[in-house]
Amino acid sequence: MRCCYCNQRECACGNIQYFKRNYTNDKGLTGPAGQTGATGATGATGVTGTTGPTGTTGPTGTTGLTGLTGATGSTGVTGPPLSSAYGKVEVFFEQTVGNLQNVLFTNSSVVAFTENVTFNNVDGFIIQIPGVYNVSATISLSASQLGPVYFNVEIPGVDRLVGTHYGPTAGPQVIVSGITRFLPAGAVIRLLNFSGRPINIGENNGAFTTARLSIFKIN
């Protein structure tokens, strides 16, 4: 900076006091800060950072409402019948069955159903289709009948199978007997008294089944 009188950087005119007073005074105090300027425009979005680790699974929410029932599906293929041959017959009144004689299914007998098995209207069924059959029978003894008692599922020409044995006790009892085996066409299925003496079965009132014979083909 030059002197305004002598135009020298180092004053030579004796007006040094004027020089200092006007040009070399000490720096004053810093003034107060001005008001903050308006916010500038937002800069461009930076690069997305890497994905952080998955957080822990939150608690299970409440179950939503049940949805509407869907449409009914198409009907499946009809399966094979349970049995291609079967039958059942019952008698309800008292009778005396002689030794080595068959239970009679006559008079009050009821044939519940038959299919490919013939009821001979007397004492049993005749097999029409050969195969493996299940044969079952129940016999209700008279109240006064004493044991021992044997009744068999009889298949003449094929087999005689011993039924349930009962001891010498009086009173109504039920014998259950049955077999499962191959039976040829033409075989006759009957119930045979094999006790060595006549046996009384059933009661006069006809309220209960005296004897029942059932058969059905399983293979």
Side-chain angles (χ1 to χ4, degrees), residues 99-189:
N99 184 48
L100 299 181
Q101 298 296 310
N102 301 115
V103 175
L104 298 179
F105 292 95
T106 56
N107 190 16
S108 62
S109 296
V110 176
V111 180
F113 50 79
T114 58
E115 179 70 29
N116 292 320
V117 173
T118 301
F119 177 55
N120 64 9
N121 295 315
V122 179
D123 57 6
F125 292 113
I126 303 172
I127 300 298
Q128 301 299 320
I129 301 175
V132 178
Y133 285 80
N134 176 270
V135 182
S136 61
T138 58
I139 300 172
S140 178
L141 303 180
S142 298
S144 60
Q145 180 61 57
L146 297 177
V149 175
Y150 291 94
F151 274 87
N152 310 338
V153 174
E154 181 194 28
I155 311 169
V158 179
D159 201 356
R160 283 184 173 182
L161 300 178
V162 176
T164 302
H165 169 267
Y166 281 82
T169 303
Q173 301 179 67
V174 177
I175 294 175
V176 179
S177 183
I179 62 169
T180 298
R181 61 165 301 158
F182 178 84
L183 298 176
V188 181
I189 311 301

Side-chain angles (χ1 to χ4, degrees), residues 44-50:
T45 302
V47 179
T48 301
T50 57

Side-chain angles (χ1 to χ4, degrees), residues 189-205:
I189 311 301
R190 300 185 178 98
L191 295 179
L192 178 72
N193 175 15
F194 202 66
S195 306
R197 58 195 173 91
I199 299 296
N200 295 319
I201 62 175
E203 299 293 341
N204 286 325
N205 58 21

